Amino acid sequence: MIGELASSQAVPPNGHTSLPQAGGLNRYQLQGLVRSGLLSREGSALLPSTAAQAWYRSGDPSLLIETLHINVRFVGEAMHALASTPLTHEQLLRLAREEYDLPWTTTGPVHNRTAWFSVTGMVDLFDRRLHLTDSGRDVLARLALGTPEYADTRVTARLTPATGAVADLIASLDGTELRARADGVNLYIPGTSANGGSLDALHMLTEAAIPSIRDTDFFRLVQANFPKAQTLATARTAKETLKALGLIQRASSETWSATPGAITWIESGEALDLARTVHASIAFFGEVLGELDATGRVTTGALAERSVRYLPNRQRPLSRAAVNTRLNLLEACGLVSRLSQTLYRATPLGLAFKDSLPCFSPEDAPPGRPADTDAGYGPSNRPDADRQGGLSGEEIAAELERAAHDSANHKRLEKVAVAALGYLGLPGEHVGGNGHVDGRVRFGIGAGSRILGVEAKSAATGRVVEQPLFGLADHRAEIGAEITLLIGPGFERRMLREADDDPAIAVIETGLLAEVVRRQDHTPLTLDQLVPLVDPGLRAAQRREAISGFWQAQEVRGRVEYAIVDLLNAEAEDPLEEGGWLDLTSIRRELRSRGYRVGEDEVEEALTFLAWNRIGVVQRSERGYRCTASVHAAGMRIRALGHQWSAAAHHRKVRPSDQEGQP
């Protein structure tokens, strides 16, 4: 099929080609061929690239493989691996994940590449292994190969320039326009997020608004095409999402029409035109790519917490759902890649796209906004101002990420690593100096506490290269430590394997440590829950998953407590129910109706907490449970406990002489 396309004339970019040899390729498959270097865009049409035409005319399969290698990751590199020894598809997948940091979870992408090798005679498959042929070795000798280190560096990507109304949108984005964008809090795109499904949904719904569509017809269109969007409220949210994304606008009191930017995207079929239109319409879209570029790998939870710095019209961060919608759309446009369920990375195309955009900077926020007050806390009322010299969790985490790449000043990372651990409840001190441990911290209190050594390694490239580990045992002996915490932005594969295999070394990536510090203010972990962070029995790659379980449990617990107060309030407001009492069985039934399947013990524990006299928002009797305060009052009382502790810590620091004459 690729050969037939190479011999064809222009193909419309929307994929609705009349060419029988195109095989019904949709626009996303055609765009994939563009990114592979086999098709090129000429105005509103797609044409075979110069390389594709040269291959078709000559019939030389090596030209095809060379073109694919230049434009697609892990083509020549896979051939290089096969040159050493025959491998299975599973072994190639493991190599792609471990050596080249590719986010693949199945062998599908490997099969796609080896299929090219097979049809061109570059490999031979037998005994379940792929064997590189002589012709494959000849082609391999002419390829310039990437390395694992090269895979992490910025690669120049070619951007399709903005045109028409989309170009006008981007040109108009000055500081005022960037601040005026919608917050994009409640976003819902029907359809699946994978395989271009979200783009298909947006394309169909936007195209239906050309020239215009009535409200009722729009709702019917959503309900008819998306099984999970059957309610009127869901269809209305989808419409409001298209409005927020800058794709539709009011044409009358009852009709909507596509915006000029949306029409440009529909005509071009270029995903970047959609991304530009969305960036011009909602806050924290293109800026997400900047966060991924600045901090490397980052989770959706961390992005949600940082989002408040980019929302000049809002005092609170976005929800994870709102951030996930942005990430799914960026992924569908090829601007980010998903490394795990919650971990993302900007692609080379995404980095180039970010550099081409006017973006909002937290430094541009007006005085007193969240960007200047660390997520809403002023310098005098941060709840953690009594710790680490007044630094907030966000400040410590940001310094940790910066110091991790400052290889010219190794003490900077040493000091902030100790400060970060102290913020989590592991007090300690910086030591440093040749032949000495970088720092020491204590895990636990009293006779059961343990001393841990801290070794912090920075690297400008983001990956610490081979360094000897044999001296760490002497450092532990010097301070009476049982375990070494080896902290750095990332580690070269062989060094990481050696450290992970050492039963006295716990490898902690600075990205994870920064995330734990940031989340400690909102989803605090106890020392018992922090054990996976410092457990040398876990490999570095296992720590985030182990800790995520505790975060998730705490978040579920908070949502269940909120739901209990909310449903008891609703019961109290029901005129047919006297007193608003509900027994435990009824409460569990109501929770299940809201999607919470929790055990009886968990519900009773939550009710006991809410009935505690320091909070006192739930009353218990032989009739069951009822609420004595609103949801808002409950939240205020819980927050007040934290302020009381901060006030008590401040009171303890006041000198006795300052208290003379006070009652």
Side-chain angles (χ1 to χ4, degrees):
M1 176 172 298
I2 295 176
E4 292 164 338
L5 283 174
S7 66
S8 69
Q9 301 301 312
V11 180
N14 60 9
H16 301 298
T17 172
S18 60
L19 297 174
Q21 60 264 40
L25 294 178
N26 62 37
R27 61 181 177 278
Y28 303 112
Q29 291 169 320
L30 289 170
Q31 287 171 4
L33 291 174
V34 172
R35 295 192 178 102
S36 299
L38 299 175
L39 290 179
S40 61
R41 187 178 296 278
E42 297 291 340
S44 61
L46 297 176
L47 296 171
S49 67
T50 302
Q53 293 179 36
W55 160 64
Y56 182 76
R57 287 194 299 267
S58 68
D60 183 359
S62 66
L63 295 179
L64 172 63
I65 297 300
E66 289 174 6
T67 300
L68 294 172
H69 170 69
I70 291 171
N71 294 278
V72 181
R73 290 184 62 185
F74 202 64
V75 174
E77 291 76 17
M79 296 176 67
H80 177 68
L82 295 174
S84 302
T85 182
L87 298 171
T88 65
H89 286 98
E90 290 76 13
Q91 289 170 326
L92 280 176
L93 172 62
R94 190 177 306 115
L95 177 72
R97 288 174 59 85
E98 294 180 357
E99 297 283 348
Y100 294 90
D101 213 16
L102 290 165
W104 301 338
T105 57
T106 69
T107 56
V110 176
H111 277 282
N112 292 340
R113 286 155 175 77
T114 57
W116 295 333
F117 303 156
S118 295
V119 298
T120 55
M122 305 294 172
V123 301
D124 191 12
L125 174 64
F126 58 90
D127 294 335
R128 295 187 64 250
R129 284 177 167 77
L130 295 153
H131 301 252
L132 195 65
T133 63
D134 290 340
S135 61
R137 293 179 187 278
D138 291 341
V139 172
L140 177 62
R142 300 199 296 270
L143 301 182
L145 297 176
T147 66
E149 291 74 22
Y150 173 79
D152 288 333
T153 62
R154 180 173 297 227
V155 179
T156 301
R158 184 176 58 189
L159 289 178
T160 303
T163 59
V166 173
D168 294 339
L169 272 178
I170 298 301
S172 69
L173 286 180
D174 56 14
T176 301
E177 291 296 325
L178 287 170
R179 284 192 292 272
R181 291 178 299 172
D183 290 340
V185 176
N186 299 313
L187 300 177
Y188 167 68
I189 301 175
T192 61
S193 60
N195 301 320
S198 58
L199 295 193
D200 279 328
L202 291 176
H203 192 281
M204 181 191 72
L205 296 175
T206 303
E207 197 169 33
I210 302 175
S212 65
I213 187 171
R214 295 173 63 88
D215 279 297
T216 52
D217 292 334
F218 187 95
F219 298 152
R220 281 195 290 267
L221 179 66
V222 172
Q223 293 170 326
N225 287 276
F226 303 102
K228 294 183 179 180
Q230 294 302 299
T231 67
L232 184 61
T234 304
R236 184 177 289 111
T237 303
K239 182 196 70 179
E240 292 300 322
T241 295
L242 262 70
K243 175 187 174 184
L245 298 181
L247 300 178
I248 61 174
Q249 59 189 359
R250 273 287 182 195
S252 73
S253 60
E254 295 182 347
T255 60
W256 295 82
S257 63
T259 63
I263 293 173
T264 299
W265 167 52
I266 295 296
E267 291 175 347
S268 71
E270 174 56 60
L272 294 184
D273 284 340
L274 170 64
R276 293 178 177 114
T277 302
V278 173
H279 174 71
S281 304
I282 63 171
F284 200 53
F285 187 72
E287 291 82 2
V288 171
L289 300 169
E291 280 289 331
L292 294 174
D293 186 23
T295 57
R297 302 180 184 184
V298 62
T299 66
T300 54
L303 283 173
E305 292 178 9
R306 297 181 205 178
S307 66
V308 72
R309 298 171 59 83
Y310 297 88
L311 304 171
N313 306 313
R314 181 179 169 84
Q315 296 286 353
R316 301 187 305 278
L318 295 170
S319 67
R320 290 193 184 189
V323 172
N324 275 326
T325 302
R326 286 164 165 80
L327 288 167
N328 289 336
L329 195 50
L330 288 166
E331 182 183 18
C333 294
L335 303 175
V336 304
S337 60
R338 186 194 303 260
L339 304 180
S340 70
Q341 189 65 25
T342 61
L343 201 62
Y344 290 82
R345 180 178 60 190
T347 64
L349 181 66
L351 296 175
F353 180 73
K354 182 264 298 182
D355 291 340
S356 73
L357 296 175
C359 289
F360 180 80
S361 170
E363 287 72 27
D364 296 333
R369 303 308 299 176
D372 296 307
T373 56
D374 293 301
Y377 296 121
S380 62
N381 63 348
R382 294 189 190 115
D384 55 309
D386 59 303
R387 292 183 288 179
Q388 301 304 326
L391 293 180
S392 69
E394 171 61 34
E395 288 169 330
I396 293 175
E399 171 62 10
L400 186 66
E401 291 166 336
R402 291 190 293 264
H405 296 272
D406 187 2
S407 56
N409 185 2
H410 60 275
K411 287 189 177 181
R412 182 182 179 188
L413 180 59
E414 296 170 7
K415 292 178 180 179
V416 72
V418 173
L421 293 167
Y423 192 85
L424 299 176
L426 282 67
E429 60 181 348
H430 172 247
V431 180
N434 291 333
H436 299 288
V437 69
D438 293 339
R440 51 173 285 168
V441 296
R442 186 175 65 167
F443 190 92
I445 62 173
S449 65
R450 293 179 296 163
I451 298 298
L452 310 179
V454 176
E455 300 286 348
K457 308 296 180 186
S458 56
T461 62
R463 182 170 295 182
V464 180
V465 297
E466 188 73 43
Q467 291 191 19
L469 303 177
F470 57 82
L472 300 188
D474 293 336
H475 292 179
R476 289 194 296 272
E478 178 187 8
I479 61 172
E482 302 176 17
I483 295 169
T484 294
L485 305 181
L486 183 58
I487 300 173
F491 296 89
E492 186 270 334
R493 182 173 56 87
R494 287 179 293 275
M495 182 182 179
L496 177 61
R497 183 183 298 122
E498 181 184 351
D500 270 340
D501 289 342
D502 192 315
I505 297 178
V507 180
I508 306 174
E509 292 187 356
T510 50
L512 174 60
L513 183 56
E515 181 181 1
V516 177
V517 168
R518 280 193 176 95
R519 298 187 64 161
Q520 195 68 358
D521 286 336
H522 305 288
T523 316
L525 300 182
T526 66
L527 275 184
D528 286 342
Q529 293 168 333
L530 285 170
V531 167
L533 182 68
V534 299
D535 182 3
L538 290 176
R539 307 186 80 80
Q542 299 171 322
R543 297 192 193 284
R544 177 174 274 104
E545 183 178 357
I547 294 175
S548 295
F550 292 117
W551 281 330
Q552 183 178 7
Q554 288 225 33
E555 289 167 355
V556 169
R557 172 66 182 270
R559 290 195 292 267
V560 168
E561 290 167 353
Y562 179 93
I564 288 174
V565 176
D566 187 47
L567 68 88
L568 287 176
N569 266 267
E571 187 71 11
E573 296 292 336
D574 190 338
L576 300 179
E577 296 295 336
E578 183 180 353
W581 296 95
L582 284 179
D583 59 22
L584 183 60
T585 301
S586 299
I587 291 174
R588 291 188 65 199
R589 185 183 301 117
E590 289 292 330
L591 287 173
R592 283 198 299 271
S593 72
R594 297 184 178 208
Y596 297 105
R597 295 191 171 273
V598 289
E600 182 175 312
D601 291 344
E602 295 172 88
V603 176
E604 282 192 308
E605 185 179 344
L607 286 163
T608 300
F609 169 69
L610 295 168
W612 178 39
N613 61 7
R614 292 269 282 154
I615 299 175
V617 298
V618 166
Q619 182 181 357
R620 181 176 185 174
S621 75
E622 68 279 355
R623 301 177 62 183
Y625 301 87
R626 72 173 180 179
C627 245
T628 60
S630 67
V631 173
H632 174 73
M636 290 292 291
R637 292 182 190 179
I638 293 172
R639 283 193 294 271
L641 295 179
H643 290 298
Q644 288 177 4
W645 277 73
S646 293
H650 175 74
H651 178 78
R652 183 171 179 265
K653 291 180 178 180
V654 177
R655 294 174 299 175
S657 59
D658 295 333
Q659 302 182 37
E660 293 178 2
Q662 296 182 5

